[in-house]
Amino acid sequence: HEGAGKYLPERTALPELREAARSCRGCDLYRDATQTVFGAGPERAKVVFVGEVPGDREDTTGEPFVGPAGGLLDKALEESGIDRGTVYVTNAVKHFRFVPDERGKRRIHKKPSRSQIVACRPWLVAELHAVRPEVVVCLGATAAQSLLGADFRVSKRRGELVELPAEVADGVKAVAMKAVATVHPSAVLRAPADERDRAYSELVADLRVVAKVL
Ligand code: URA
Ligand code: SF4
């Protein structure tokens, strides 16, 4: 497999991208997953949220962020004053990656590899070029690695308004597109009980930085 590049359509509006992504075989993840989970939301969204990879529920429904992480994201958006109906949500990698548990009953989410992130990146960049948002929010290290580079450290620079590399932002908008990185909502869900409230508040605080520039 050599990445998603050769599956990109000539017309790069969202409906064409979404349709073409259905038959992507740019890496081996398409084989075991149910379907491509493309981004969702208005084509004119001012903000794009980028997660990591679809989860179990997203894989079966075909929609991003509809499982537990999506529920937490919805709540954090509301609390930070960002209207969920006006945002576009997507993932760095568009097919579910999982391993079966020991009894073969559940599918356990697995982090995408660096090569899978690179393989799937053309879809993400094409989505950003189609939507042309004012701000891109990287939810967690995978999205940040894909868009802001391997050296970017979410723990050090979360909640900061940063520039996107020219190669991503190029031709996207007259006004430069900005990015903000924060933690992944799943990290809040996984935090130990006594740290969860603080982790959630910090996520909301980062999202308020986004709300302010919209
Ligand atoms: N986690 C993600 O990163 N993306 C989803 O769509 C769901 C869970
Ligand atoms: Fe294509 Fe991305 Fe799916 Fe890999 S994960 S097959 S690159 S859409």
Side-chain angles (χ1 to χ4, degrees), residues 51-97:
E52 180 186 69
V53 65
D56 187 281
R57 277 267 271 296
E58 289 77 19
D59 176 73
T60 47
T61 60
E63 296 291 322
F65 283 106
V66 291
L72 189 121
L73 179 62
D74 289 353
K75 202 173 123 205
L77 285 176
E78 190 175 330
E79 203 157 326
S80 58
I82 299 172
D83 181 357
R84 177 71 165 84
T86 67
V87 312
Y88 184 90
V89 291
T90 191
N91 284 298
V93 171
K94 298 202 171 17
H95 275 102
F96 183 31
R97 185 181 196 200

Side-chain angles (χ1 to χ4, degrees), residues 72 75-76 79 188 195-204:
L72 189 121
K75 202 173 123 205
E79 203 157 326
V188 176
E195 287 168 29
R196 202 168 303 143
D197 286 351
R198 188 161 60 100
Y200 176 73
S201 309
E202 287 172 356
L203 170 62
V204 170

